[in-house]
Amino acid sequence: MNELRTHIVIDNEIRFGKPCIKGTRITVGDILQWLSAGMTEQEILEDYPELQKIHIKAALAFAAERDAMTKVIVYEAVT
């Protein structure tokens, strides 16, 4: 997992600080949206030749790790 983290960078000067693939302006969110819209890994790699398979894997791993860290806070109104 640590190797995959090296492919993701967060820089406030690039895409408003969204996590991006290192050396590109392609965000983790972009990759997730393309996959959820039905694009295959091969289609993404053909459309964005600066990407490699490891970048797609890194984006998925980053999203999964971030989701695992998300905590749900339940707020109950006091009546």
Side-chain angles (χ1 to χ4, degrees):
M1 187 64 92
N2 286 336
E3 176 195 336
L4 294 176
R5 284 191 195 124
T6 64
H7 296 284
I8 307 292
V9 294
I10 298 174
D11 181 338
N12 289 333
E13 300 296 318
I14 301 171
R15 298 287 301 265
F16 306 102
K18 293 179 180 179
C20 292
I21 302 302
K22 188 175 185 176
T24 76
R25 296 179 55 79
I26 298 172
T27 68
V28 168
D30 292 335
I31 293 171
L32 297 176
Q33 286 179 350
W34 297 330
L35 291 169
S36 69
M39 285 182 77
T40 66
E41 184 178 281
Q42 190 58 39
E43 289 171 329
I44 293 170
L45 296 174
E46 288 172 5
D47 286 354
Y48 300 91
E50 64 271 34
L51 293 179
Q52 300 172 13
K53 286 184 179 188
I54 191 74
H55 296 139
I56 295 172
K57 187 174 181 179
L60 291 169
F62 182 90
E65 187 174 301
R66 184 171 270 190
D67 182 65
M69 292 188 310
T70 302
K71 294 181 181 178
V72 177
I73 300 173
V74 178
Y75 174 79
E76 292 185 32
V78 178
T79 57

